[in-house]
Amino acid sequence: MAVDVSALPARCRHRFPIFEHRVYINSCSQGALSDAVRASYEQYLADWDEHGAPWEYWVERSEAARATFARLIGADADEVAVTTAESPGVSALASALRFDDGRSKVVISDFEFPTIGQIWHAQESRGCEVVHVPASGAEIPVEAFEAAIDDETKLVSITAVCYRNGARLDVEAITELAHSRGALVLLDAYQALGSYPIDVRGLDVDFLGAGVLKYLLGSAGLGFFYCRRELVPTLWPTQTGWFADRDIFAMDLGDYSPSETARRFESGTPPIPSIYAGIAGMELMEEIGIAETREHVDALNDQLVEAVGELRGRVVTPAKRGALICIASTDAPALVAALARDGIVTSSRDGNLRVSGHAYNTSDDVEAVVAALARNRELLA
Ligand SMILES: Cc1ncc(COP(=O)(O)O)c(C=O)c1O
């Protein structure tokens, strides 16, 4: 049965005031601001004003954020660290790995976000060898990982969806392959979470990092890191801080005793304002429905891909994709600027226009993008 693309926006679009004056179709960069997230920031200020320093409550909010994120990825709360972005969780993991035990390689794909490459290359000074798996055109087949993962591989670090072209990697197959060769798997789920269901047990990944400011509708300043329960006690992060300690309020200056849970991947004071917003965003996405959002955005993207074809433009995103559609341009920043003059918010990367719909976008939004592309036909490659 065809998806009714008016059903989801009819339920939720009114909660995002930006649509009163813009066509916002850029959730791969940042989710639109909802009434719920705005209210959560106001609540943070009200609580601060009313109580002064309600740290017990604020630590409880941090636990609520942990539990909400855990629910979203099918993990338990004690397998999740609350961080300030994705990078600190991945860096804490890197700091806990040793590379002098015969497994010195970290295999990454050329689809990774820069922070992933930078964190693993930073470990070269500690004996790590980083192996890049190259793309073949717009995709990276599992066979390319076959050639790169061997019995010296410690970790395979892959993204679920490429931020540059929207391609989706075959996470299950790559994970199975990595495990069969004794390597661990870290999934960067930032471009996926909130746009389609992710389940760490089903995928069988060992670690997962993400933040909340894109399809999870939160804002900057909050990220999460998942570590499979059995692995937590085997990892001893040296990038750390007092919120990673077994007893945060022991205030023990003379010892390092990391938490028995994944909290050992945390560091300092949690980002309380972003936690208020992150909970509001994640709960709103749960209310809207992530599986429904996937179907909805797939239908909008079919409409977009077909229309770009009719304009004789070139969609570079392969059929196996996330929510993001990338369109080749002769001058992507100029195309983003041209669309912005028509009140349409998109973004660009790597010579491509990025268009990323979400639950709140309508078929009319896609039509507006297509009409603007037609008016700027000379900027399509
Ligand atoms: C795939 C991917 N990973 C990671 C990040 C950002 O990581 P961090 O939260 O450390 O800034 C982004 C942000 O754009 C991303 O698209």
Side-chain angles (χ1 to χ4, degrees):
M1 204 178 70
V3 177
D4 173 4
V5 287
S6 62
L8 263 197
R11 264 176 42 211
C12 69
R13 189 170 166 107
H14 63 281
R15 310 213 33 197
F16 300 86
I18 193 168
F19 290 105
E20 288 159 24
H21 57 279
R22 295 241 192 292
V23 172
Y24 189 81
I25 190 154
N26 187 35
S27 303
C28 63
S29 298
Q30 168 81 61
L33 175 62
S34 63
D35 55 4
V37 169
R38 175 178 287 280
S40 74
Y41 273 115
E42 280 157 8
Q43 189 61 49
Y44 164 69
L45 293 175
D47 288 345
W48 184 10
D49 210 11
E50 165 84 15
H51 304 288
W55 273 101
E56 258 180 43
Y57 178 63
W58 285 345
V59 169
E60 184 275 311
R61 289 288 78 198
S62 181
E63 293 310 315
R66 189 193 313 282
T68 307
F69 186 82
R71 196 163 65 232
L72 279 175
I73 61 166
D76 291 326
D78 61 0
E79 297 174 297
V80 170
V82 181
T83 58
T84 53
E86 177 174 335
S87 304
V90 175
S91 276
L93 167 66
S95 80
L97 296 178
R98 303 189 56 137
F99 301 101
D100 58 359
D101 58 359
R103 285 192 181 264
S104 58
K105 291 185 187 166
V106 171
V107 170
I108 71 172
S109 86
D110 272 348
F111 281 172
E112 300 312 304
F113 193 75
T115 207
I116 294 294
Q118 288 154 4
I119 290 169
W120 295 121
H121 279 287
Q123 310 312 312
E124 285 166 346
S125 64
R126 300 177 51 234
C128 174
E129 183 192 339
V130 184
V131 177
H132 284 244
V133 179
S136 322
E139 292 178 274
I140 308 185
V142 178
E143 297 74 65
F145 286 89
E146 285 260 9
I149 303 171
D150 60 21
D151 59 9
E152 289 176 14
T153 306
K154 169 137 293 180
L155 180 83
V156 177
S157 180
I158 49 168
T159 189
V161 173
C162 174
Y163 77 105
R164 285 186 286 117
N165 74 0
R168 189 158 55 84
L169 289 177
D170 190 343
V171 176
E172 289 95 327
I174 297 166
T175 301
E176 210 182 311
L177 173 68
H179 285 167
S180 75
R181 297 186 180 171
L184 298 164
V185 176
L186 163 66
L187 180 65
D188 172 358
Y190 214 143
Q191 282 293 341
L193 264 184
S195 76
Y196 63 85
I198 292 273
D199 174 57
V200 285
R201 308 260 188 261
L203 294 172
D204 203 28
V205 294
D206 302 291
F207 312 104
L208 177 148
V212 294
L213 66 78
K214 302 176 193 291
Y215 301 96
L216 288 178
L217 307 178
S219 74
L222 177 63
F224 294 96
F225 177 75
Y226 157 81
C227 175
R228 182 201 291 279
R229 171 180 310 287
E230 305 83 80
L231 292 170
V232 172
T234 70
L235 293 159
W236 186 257
T238 58
Q239 177 191 291
T240 190
W242 64 308
F243 270 77
D245 201 77
R246 188 166 300 171
D247 178 359
I248 298 172
F249 298 105
M251 308 309 249
D252 187 351
L253 183 64
D255 148 79
Y256 172 55
S257 311
S259 164
E260 281 154 18
T261 72
R263 192 163 53 70
R264 68 173 56 194
F265 296 99
E266 297 183 12
S267 54
T269 306
I272 303 300
S274 307
I275 283 173
Y276 274 64
I279 294 171
M282 289 188 285
E283 286 182 347
L284 181 54
M285 249 349 275
E286 284 185 311
E287 188 186 318
I288 291 170
I290 293 174
E292 293 82 347
T293 295
R294 174 60 165 173
E295 283 193 353
H296 171 76
V297 173
D298 273 351
L300 292 182
N301 284 345
D302 288 346
Q303 178 191 342
L304 177 63
V305 168
E306 192 183 323
V308 171
E310 281 162 12
L311 288 176
R312 290 193 302 284
R314 190 163 55 85
V315 170
V316 299
T317 308
K320 189 172 173 66
R321 60 194 180 217
L324 165 64
I325 296 289
C326 298
I327 300 164
S329 173
T330 52
D331 185 344
L335 188 52
V336 170
L339 267 61
R341 283 194 290 277
D342 288 342
I344 303 169
V345 185
T346 56
S347 54
S348 71
R349 284 274 189 270
D350 204 21
N352 301 320
L353 177 74
R354 302 196 304 172
V355 181
S356 49
H358 203 3
Y360 34 61
N361 288 112
T362 59
S363 192
D364 286 351
D365 292 343
V366 173
E367 265 177 39
V369 170
V370 172
L373 292 179
R375 284 193 291 281
N376 294 279
R377 178 69 196 77
E378 73 286 357
L379 291 173
L380 294 182

